[in-house]
Amino acid sequence: MAASIRTCYRARSTFNSVHLLKLKLKNDSLRCVPLYVSSKRDLFVASPAQKLNVKNGNIILPFTSQRCTQRSFLTSIRLHTTQEGVKDEAEDDYHSIIKDTERGKGPADVHEFQAETRKLLDIVAKSLYSEKEVFIRELISNSSDAIEKLRYYQLTGAEVGDQVGPLEIHIATNDDKKTFTIQDTGVGLTKEELIDNLGTIARSGSKAFLDQLSEKASAGDVKSNLIGQFGVGFYSTFMVGDKVDVYTKSFKPGSAAYKWSSDGSGKYEITDAEGVDRGTKIVIHLKGDCYQFAKEEVIKEIVKKYSNFVGVPIFLNGKRANIIQALWTMDPKDVTPDMHEEFYRFIGNVYDKPRYHLHYKTDAPLNIRALFYVPEYKPTMFDMSRETEVGVSLYSRKVLILARANHVLPKWLRFVKGVVDSEDIPLNLSRELLQDSALIRKLRQVLTTRLLKFFSEQAKKDPINYMSFYEDYGLFFREGIVTTGEQEVREDIAKLLRFESSKLEKGQFTSLEEYAQRMKAGERNIYFLSAPSRQLAETSPYFEALKKRDIEVLFLYEPYDELVLMNLGQFDRKNLKSIENELYEDKENTDTVDEKDEKSLKQSEAEDLKVWLKSVLLNKVNNIKITKRLESHPCVITVMEMGSARHFLRTTLADKSQDERLRLLQPTLELNPSHPLVVKLFQLKGSDPELATLLAEQLYDNAMINAGLIDDPRLGMSRLQSLLERAFAKI
Ligand SMILES: Nc1ncnc2c1ncn2[C@@H]1O[C@H](COP(=O)(O)OP(=O)(O)OP(=O)(O)O)[C@@H](O)[C@H]1O
């Protein structure tokens, strides 16, 4: 869709250098908002059409650029629809360079294909490969290369012979003659180049194909698959054609034109030609079972599939066929938010907006042009699944190599959508090679590092926005940490994690890096505590036990966070340590009472109580100790590697009996000898052993619940009831 401009003139000037331009449109097809306006030299000089006043086929445009008053500027104004960057040709505007003027003349020069090429052609021609359409991708890619080369020569000041038309690729289908034609205005070929390039195999893909063939059994299906994997370039035309004519004229000044022709058997012929423009035209006379490639609708879909982002305009039967610009190759400052939005929707096949975009261009260590988006929407269960493919497509020189290229980013970054284009990637890289290629590994490493840096920058730039992203997508970071091998990368991902902390207000979040910066000199551990909520974390006996030491503790409210930090082990050469483990390993815990504390049991009483408790709790505890670290809590359970133990209980030990679980856990019960309940317990064990037993068991259960080692407290309900009954009976 496009709108044409009939006239364009300056409506009036206003204050503040705002100029109003009035565009009179040729048709009233302007309902296709949003629109962009551009001039030949400056792309996108005005904002989307929502702000434009469209009335009776006129648009009034506000411009702040002084240049817009110049006449040359006015005549160069163009309208674009947002998604497409389409010029202002009306839909029925026909533009084609394909004519029927080319003819061979004079005697034919017959050549034999090189032996290897013959072998290749023989296989290709007989191939049953089902996705024959790849020949279109190969031809478009060749044409696009030829045009890119010419553009390069023009830019570097080389002498270019015939200056024909714009740099374009044209495709024509002829359903009557059953032909497929592709023509470009690129560098073309000299006679020597025709012989060298179309008679022998220079192409890496074709070579690899042949190498693989000699290694593998020559079963038909193996061949077919290999064609798909490697792509056989120009020769793929013989999968669909029983005769191929190439008309070509090199860009080199004074070059003659030639016709190259072959039926794909052992020979090809070259004749002089006339009526040929600079560039190359290839006419494929289709085989009987490939007539579908003479149909416009079929080709349109294929071009869309493989070449929508080819930087060169592609026309199919006179109509523009690749409508999306290769945004990633543009200068980032020329790409407006609306263009990003449209592009994101197109590639992501979604309808929301991107919340972040990263436009990344580099030439070292690899050539990369990448455009990444993070969706605005919350990930669904489907997105979370590791079965979901990565949302990034891989291009080489704007030609699609693989949509949803799984190895270009690590699996955990599958929520990122976008495009990666690298000239260093050979066009024919197969899926299998993609997996093991050192090049792809390098690409993945560079891109991962860049994305991590980008997320870190976003966190600093706009923490509120980042937190909302983190809440939606943070789970992927945790997955990244546990599924990544290199500790350095794991720590880079960990920089993106956020937690509440004992040193910060509720609702304030901190990173591991910030925690490390606040650490006192000599301190080697970053402490954390897993608890369902802040309140439970702050009132936890473990937190209380370490409170006196005034250490900062990160609060982890999601059970998997604890596993992630345990798995990470270290951050910035500091140990990540659960405070439960710290407590378990605490050497200062001497198993003695504070003799000066009048409220406390005496050492001998405490020892007495320990013996009695052991007889009551039997193998529910492995050890009973006295602790001076608790204040408000009567007791606490410590277990070696509490976090792992909890996880173990929920998974491997889930169906084991309680006895078996406890035997494996080997819990230690630490008693607070100053706590009124513990003092009371000591007294009761003599005066009312039955009530004392109930109390002891309840205290034990409470400690286990606090430790997260008993998930369902309802199991202890009936005991709690009898305990209350007995306690109240005493009143
Ligand atoms: N449209 C074209 N214009 C100019 N030269 C072409 C064109 N098509 C093919 N050629 C020449 O023919 C050669 C062989 O093409 P083919 O598709 O078999 O392999 P290739 O494109 O070189 O392979 P690769 O993509 O792996 O580099 C090209 O390298 C190029 O020199």
Side-chain angles (χ1 to χ4, degrees):
M1 155 66 244
S4 300
I5 304 166
R6 192 192 298 276
T7 52
C8 171
Y9 52 90
R10 190 150 60 92
R12 69 190 145 97
S13 279
T14 61
F15 291 118
N16 302 330
S17 313
V18 175
H19 305 274
L20 295 182
L21 295 187
K22 188 171 175 187
L23 306 183
K24 178 115 187 111
L25 302 167
K26 274 192 202 154
N27 49 35
D28 63 349
S29 52
L30 256 186
R31 261 149 276 149
C32 62
V33 288
L35 285 166
Y36 290 97
V37 179
S38 72
S39 82
K40 256 181 196 152
R41 270 166 296 144
D42 301 276
L43 201 60
F44 304 101
V45 288
S47 43
Q50 286 96 298
K51 292 183 191 149
L52 305 181
N53 180 9
V54 185
K55 214 173 171 189
N56 302 331
N58 291 318
I59 307 182
I60 304 289
L61 292 173
F63 279 101
T64 47
S65 160
Q66 183 65 38
R67 198 150 19 98
C68 75
T69 56
Q70 293 165 6
R71 191 168 169 72
S72 61
F73 179 85
L74 292 181
T75 51
S76 71
I77 287 279
R78 294 283 180 274
L79 277 186
H80 299 253
T81 61
T82 49
Q83 335 155 270
E84 300 168 353
V86 178
K87 287 188 184 168
D88 63 346
E89 286 102 8
E91 198 126 41
D92 53 1
D93 278 355
Y94 176 87
H95 169 58
S96 178
I97 58 166
I98 299 184
K99 302 168 283 183
D100 191 21
T101 54
E102 299 87 355
R103 299 281 179 271
K105 59 170 187 184
D109 202 357
V110 181
H111 296 257
E112 293 242 333
F113 282 113
Q114 175 207 35
E116 261 186 324
T117 317
R118 265 208 312 275
K119 190 169 157 196
L120 177 74
L121 279 169
D122 191 41
I123 295 162
V124 169
K126 290 184 191 144
S127 141
L128 296 174
Y129 183 50
S130 55
E131 289 172 53
K132 296 189 172 180
E133 63 182 41
V134 295
F135 84 95
I136 297 176
R137 178 185 75 177
E138 299 287 339
L139 292 183
I140 289 179
S141 149
N142 280 352
S143 286
S144 154
D145 280 353
I147 285 176
E148 292 297 341
K149 277 183 207 161
L150 189 85
R151 193 175 282 156
Y152 174 80
Y153 289 134
Q154 282 176 332
L155 285 174
T156 51
E159 222 185 317
V160 174
D162 293 359
Q163 289 289 358
V164 276
L167 299 180
E168 290 169 353
I169 300 172
H170 286 253
I171 296 172
T173 52
N174 190 327
D175 209 6
D176 297 332
K177 291 189 180 161
K178 306 297 179 205
T179 56
F180 172 95
T181 303
I182 181 165
Q183 183 168 348
D184 62 66
T185 53
V187 281
L189 294 141
T190 61
K191 189 168 179 180
E192 293 67 39
E193 285 167 343
L194 268 177
I195 297 169
D196 284 351
N197 297 332
L198 301 188
T200 54
I201 296 178
R203 188 188 159 94
S204 48
S206 310
K207 273 221 163 84
F209 171 73
L210 282 178
D211 290 348
Q212 288 278 316
L213 258 195
S214 51
E215 277 169 30
K216 302 211 171 169
S218 58
D221 56 334
V222 175
K223 287 177 206 162
S224 304
N225 288 341
L226 285 175
I227 293 177
Q229 278 174 31
F230 295 107
V232 288
F234 170 75
Y235 303 110
S236 59
T237 50
F238 290 101
M239 283 197 296
V240 294
D242 45 26
K243 184 164 180 279
V244 177
D245 296 325
V246 179
Y247 300 93
T248 187
K249 187 172 174 190
S250 168
F251 74 102
K252 291 174 187 159
S255 288
Y258 297 97
K259 177 184 178 188
W260 178 103
S261 196
S262 177
D263 60 3
S265 57
K267 297 186 173 72
Y268 64 91
E269 34 176 78
I270 297 179
T271 51
D272 288 346
E274 57 191 9
V276 180
D277 282 334
R278 185 206 67 216
T280 304
K281 174 179 181 176
I282 298 173
V283 183
I284 306 175
H285 302 270
L286 295 164
K287 288 181 184 174
D289 59 347
C290 296
Y291 284 168
Q292 73 269 28
F293 299 115
K295 295 201 182 307
E296 181 176 317
E297 333 68 89
V298 175
I299 305 301
K300 195 171 172 184
E301 284 310 304
I302 300 170
V303 171
K304 210 162 112 188
K305 184 161 151 197
Y306 292 119
S307 313
N308 240 342
F309 303 124
V310 171
V312 182
I314 302 175
F315 292 83
L316 172 60
N317 293 336
K319 280 171 260 169
R320 182 74 183 260
N322 66 331
I323 44 176
I324 302 274
Q325 284 174 310
L327 290 198
W328 62 93
T329 59
M330 290 171 64
D331 192 330
K333 62 180 188 317
D334 289 337
V335 186
T336 65
D338 293 285
M339 287 163 84
H340 277 303
E341 205 173 295
E342 289 296 323
F343 182 60
Y344 158 75
R345 286 182 186 162
F346 179 85
I347 51 155
N349 217 358
V350 285
Y351 294 96
D352 70 328
K353 291 177 177 187
R355 67 170 87 199
Y356 286 135
H357 76 258
L358 167 62
H359 196 159
Y360 174 47
K361 288 176 127 186
T362 184
D363 290 311
L366 288 173
N367 164 288
I368 300 173
R369 305 283 178 266
L371 200 43
F372 292 126
Y373 297 100
V374 176
E376 182 69 55
Y377 70 77
K378 258 177 184 292
T380 59
M381 288 297 280
F382 176 73
D383 296 311
M384 292 287 186
S385 154
R386 277 185 60 83
E387 298 311 306
T388 307
E389 288 175 307
V390 165
V392 168
S393 300
L394 181 64
Y395 284 75
S396 172
R397 284 160 272 176
K398 298 176 208 151
V399 176
L400 178 67
I401 298 198
L402 195 59
R404 292 180 299 285
N406 270 329
H407 304 285
V408 170
L409 288 181
K411 191 91 203 171
W412 68 269
L413 279 170
R414 62 189 172 278
F415 61 95
V416 175
K417 302 193 184 299
V419 167
V420 174
D421 192 324
S422 172
E423 284 180 10
D424 297 313
I425 308 287
L427 261 180
N428 46 20
L429 198 72
S430 72
R431 277 160 208 265
E432 285 74 12
L433 288 180
L434 208 68
Q435 204 166 342
D436 331 311
S437 145
L439 194 66
I440 294 289
R441 269 201 300 279
K442 182 78 200 157
L443 183 68
R444 183 166 60 229
Q445 184 217 324
V446 173
L447 293 174
T448 307
T449 309
R450 184 63 190 89
L451 274 163
L452 287 173
K453 183 169 165 239
F454 171 78
F455 291 133
S456 278
E457 286 163 358
Q458 295 307 314
K460 285 196 187 90
K461 226 162 83 184
D462 186 348
I464 295 175
N465 206 12
Y466 176 78
M467 272 320 288
S468 104
F469 160 64
Y470 180 74
E471 270 157 30
D472 291 347
Y473 285 88
L475 209 56
F476 289 96
F477 297 154
R478 275 87 151 193
E479 180 189 318
I481 294 171
V482 294
T483 55
T484 300
E486 305 83 14
Q487 181 65 12
E488 204 185 324
V489 184
R490 283 150 54 83
E491 292 191 21
D492 277 346
I493 309 174
K495 286 180 190 160
L496 302 171
L497 301 178
R498 295 292 180 272
F499 306 102
E500 283 200 7
S501 149
S502 60
K503 291 276 181 209
L504 301 172
E505 294 296 308
K506 185 175 164 47
Q508 241 182 304
F509 292 86
T510 189
S511 65
L512 291 174
E513 268 179 314
E514 289 162 349
Y515 181 110
Q517 281 158 14
R518 287 190 291 265
M519 280 167 76
K520 293 180 198 131
E523 183 61 81
R524 300 223 2 91
N525 299 325
I526 295 178
Y527 293 101
F528 61 84
L529 172 64
S530 176
S533 66
R534 179 151 188 136
Q535 196 203 356
L536 288 173
E538 283 179 334
T539 54
S540 133
Y542 303 96
F543 184 59
E544 179 177 285
L546 285 190
K547 225 172 175 175
K548 287 179 198 146
R549 280 172 49 187
D550 188 35
I551 51 176
E552 176 170 2
V553 180
L554 297 173
F555 296 146
L556 280 42
Y557 305 136
E558 302 292 346
Y560 49 72
D561 267 338
E562 178 179 39
L563 291 174
V564 170
L565 291 196
M566 278 172 3
N567 179 286
L568 182 63
Q570 287 217 324
F571 180 83
D572 193 18
R573 281 174 290 143
K574 292 160 185 93
N575 302 315
L576 291 162
K577 198 163 186 191
S578 132
I579 59 170
E580 297 153 334
N581 283 357
E582 176 69 9
L583 211 61
Y584 181 80
E585 293 163 13
D586 191 355
K587 303 276 181 306
E588 287 163 26
N589 196 11
T590 51
D591 198 12
T592 53
V593 301
D594 181 357
E595 298 291 352
K596 283 181 246 141
D597 183 354
E598 286 175 9
K599 290 184 279 149
S600 169
L601 293 175
K602 301 282 164 283
Q603 187 68 35
S604 58
E605 293 169 331
E607 293 299 334
D608 201 11
L609 181 61
K610 273 166 63 181
V611 174
W612 178 82
L613 262 176
K614 186 76 188 118
S615 71
V616 171
L617 297 172
L618 294 169
N619 50 8
K620 281 181 169 181
V621 286
N622 193 48
N623 191 10
I624 300 176
K625 272 165 107 178
I626 305 298
T627 182
K628 292 193 281 277
R629 295 175 302 194
L630 296 175
E631 279 173 20
S632 62
H633 291 270
C635 53
V636 66
I637 288 281
T638 55
V639 161
M640 189 165 59
E641 290 297 338
M642 182 83 91
S644 316
R646 260 193 300 267
H647 181 62
F648 205 45
L649 276 187
R650 284 191 202 113
T651 52
T652 324
L653 298 183
D655 53 355
K656 296 276 183 287
S657 71
Q658 181 72 354
D659 275 0
E660 208 165 336
R661 289 159 144 234
L662 294 172
R663 194 167 48 75
L664 288 165
L665 282 178
Q666 301 198 331
T668 297
L669 182 70
E670 298 194 12
L671 280 178
N672 173 0
S674 321
H675 196 278
L677 279 177
V678 175
V679 175
K680 194 74 193 164
L681 184 65
F682 174 73
Q683 293 158 3
L684 275 179
K685 79 178 173 57
S687 60
D688 188 343
E690 216 175 311
L691 181 59
T693 303
L694 281 176
L695 178 59
E697 284 175 342
Q698 192 60 44
L699 289 177
Y700 170 84
D701 267 16
N702 291 355
M704 287 291 277
I705 292 168
N706 262 328
L709 297 173
I710 291 184
D711 274 343
D712 194 349
R714 283 175 299 190
L715 296 172
M717 246 2 153
S718 60
R719 186 200 321 103
L720 183 62
Q721 210 119 325
S722 10
L723 180 66
L724 288 172
E725 278 166 22
R726 301 215 38 155
F728 280 106
K730 284 195 172 277
I731 298 171

